[in-house]
Amino acid sequence: MKAQKEVNVLFMRRALELAKRGGKKTHPNPRVGCVLVKDGKIIAKAWHKKFGGPHAEILALKKAGSKAHGATVYVTLEPCVSFPGKKTPSCAEALISSKVKRVFIASKDPNPKISGRGIKLLKKNGVLVQTGLLEQESEKINRGFFWRHLHQRPYVVLKLALSLDGQAFAAGGNSKWITGKPARNFVYGLRTRFDAILVGSETVIKDNPSLTSHGRGKNPLRLVLDTHLKIPRNSKVLTEKAPSLIITASQESFSRETLRVPLKNGKADIRKALQKLAERGIETLLVEGGPRVCASFLKDKLVDEAYLFFAPKFLSATQNPNRTPILEDPQLEKVGKDFLIHGRIRYQDVFRDH
């Protein structure tokens, strides 16, 4: 029994590896992998390659042909069923028609149009079904997809850069280039993994960022939280060649596409904005706003994960983030649940890493 369980885990891990190959091309569909096994050997394998294309199960069954009869199937998400508006064939019905014997499913589909129906249909037609095999791993691959259906909002990741004295801005209000080039390159790459990226109007007014991936990959949808439409019309976020959307509570006309939400405590209602973004198919959101925007998301309990960058410098008493005392050769260690950063202070006119 133990040996067979280990074999089942091995085949499901292979299906999960295949699912990852779909990348962002499957969006807004989930990434799914499928492996067909007979007599202990893989006879076919496939993954969902792009939105609108055949699902993983359909592709694997086509490869297996008549060999699928009596096979065991390992699939990372519950096979779909027919429903109004569905563009692709029902995977559950295809598995039944191919006369497979057993189906191992990593996780149920959170989409209420499908959830449980695929499993029920398989069982009704005599297919043996087992769910929950590497369930957490499956949900992690499609975290945004699950989050959107279960919570009616995107999965939100917060990215914040601070100095060691807890400042996001120099004394003069400048927040550009707090961190070094390697950290910035990391963030550029991070952006390619998200459907959308969000900042507040103050960040746009002070720093005029482009919010693109800087050539690292596909640009996310750029969102500006601008309650009263204050940002300049020539801002990079509006003029550079990448999609953008302004979230506002203002009813004034605007030259670019807007997402209008009601006011809440004098500001654009963030929770309502996230609900509307989810309805548009946005599943993952990177928030790169300043302290006020970040505080608003945290206050409303809308942050699910965070990347915090601490630059080895002190900004409180300087007008320019590139002319500041720095912590030389910083050492990081964990002390209980806290983190200790230690090093010698070096004073300089220019922070040469920039």
Side-chain angles (χ1 to χ4, degrees):
M1 181 69 74
K2 183 179 179 181
Q4 184 57 49
K5 183 177 180 180
E6 291 176 350
V7 169
N8 291 335
V9 168
L10 184 66
F11 286 131
M12 186 60 81
R13 287 202 185 283
R14 183 67 182 120
L16 289 166
E17 291 170 3
L18 291 167
K20 293 176 183 178
R21 296 186 185 183
K24 300 295 291 183
K25 293 180 180 180
T26 67
H27 182 77
N29 282 352
R31 293 183 285 177
V32 180
C34 181
V35 171
L36 268 63
V37 175
K38 201 169 186 180
D39 299 326
K41 296 182 179 180
I42 294 177
I43 58 172
K45 55 188 177 181
W47 67 95
H48 184 35
K49 296 181 178 180
K50 64 179 181 178
F51 176 69
H55 288 184
E57 300 96 315
I58 302 296
L59 291 171
L61 290 171
K62 185 177 181 180
K63 289 181 180 179
S66 60
K67 293 180 181 179
H69 191 161
T72 296
V73 180
Y74 297 83
V75 63
T76 58
L77 191 69
E78 178 180 1
C80 64
V81 292
S82 298
F83 58 83
K86 191 175 183 301
K87 297 182 178 180
T88 52
S90 164
C91 294
E93 292 174 359
L95 290 168
I96 294 166
S97 297
S98 297
K99 301 186 184 303
V100 301
K101 180 180 180 181
R102 183 189 299 269
V103 178
F104 284 91
I105 300 169
S107 56
K108 293 182 180 179
D109 195 318
N111 186 341
K113 295 179 180 179
I114 296 174
S115 187
R117 292 181 59 205
I119 294 170
K120 185 177 180 180
L121 184 61
L122 290 169
K123 289 181 176 180
K124 183 179 178 180
N125 286 273
V127 180
L128 301 174
V129 178
Q130 182 174 326
T131 62
L133 183 61
L134 301 184
E135 182 176 18
Q136 291 184 351
E137 289 89 334
S138 171
E139 293 181 1
K140 185 177 180 180
I141 291 175
N142 291 300
R143 182 170 284 161
F145 176 78
F146 274 84
W147 214 260
R148 178 166 67 91
H149 284 291
L150 295 175
H151 302 282
Q152 290 74 55
R153 68 168 177 83
Y155 185 81
V156 177
V157 176
L158 176 69
K159 174 249 136 181
L160 187 61
L162 297 169
S163 63
L164 291 179
D165 48 350
Q167 303 298 310
F169 303 96
N174 191 344
S175 65
K176 294 196 74 170
W177 314 147
I178 290 177
T179 53
K181 188 174 181 179
R184 296 200 299 274
N185 287 337
F186 176 88
V187 173
Y188 297 154
L190 185 66
R191 290 173 179 173
T192 67
R193 293 156 48 186
F194 288 81
D195 298 330
I197 177 175
L198 181 145
V199 297
S201 57
E202 288 189 12
T203 296
V204 174
I205 293 169
K206 289 178 179 179
D207 297 339
N208 194 23
S210 64
L211 299 180
T212 66
S213 66
H214 291 258
R216 266 73 176 179
K218 184 179 180 180
N219 290 316
L221 172 65
R222 301 172 300 171
L223 306 173
V224 180
L225 190 61
D226 188 3
T227 299
H228 302 294
L229 293 177
K230 298 187 301 182
I231 64 170
R233 302 306 192 259
N234 62 348
S235 300
K236 290 181 180 178
V237 73
L238 299 177
T239 57
E240 294 201 357
K241 293 183 179 180
S244 60
L245 178 67
I246 309 302
I247 300 172
T248 184
S250 173
Q251 297 302 314
E252 295 180 19
S253 60
F254 197 73
S255 58
R256 298 295 292 264
E257 186 180 4
T258 57
L259 180 67
R260 300 189 188 276
V261 296
L263 280 171
K264 182 180 179 182
N265 299 325
K267 299 179 181 179
D269 189 331
I270 295 176
R271 188 176 296 275
K272 188 63 177 178
L274 293 184
Q275 291 175 355
K276 288 191 173 186
L277 289 171
E279 291 170 2
R280 289 177 171 231
I282 301 298
E283 296 179 346
T284 54
L285 173 65
L286 180 64
V287 176
E288 286 197 36
R292 289 184 183 179
V293 169
C294 294
S296 296
F297 271 81
L298 289 166
K299 183 179 180 181
D300 287 346
K301 300 180 180 179
L302 295 173
V303 177
D304 307 302
E305 191 175 333
Y307 288 89
L308 303 177
F309 291 88
F310 287 92
K313 58 177 70 172
F314 298 86
L315 293 177
S316 299
T318 180
Q319 299 287 322
N320 188 332
N322 295 333
R323 298 175 181 272
T324 172
I326 69 169
L327 194 69
E328 196 168 44
D329 191 24
Q331 303 297 312
L332 175 67
E333 64 177 288
K334 194 173 182 183
V335 181
K337 293 184 178 180
D338 302 312
F339 290 92
L340 170 66
I341 300 176
H342 170 260
R344 290 177 60 86
I345 297 293
R346 177 158 62 91
Y347 296 92
Q348 60 176 15
D349 291 331
V350 179
F351 190 47
R352 302 184 186 281
D353 188 38
H354 297 281

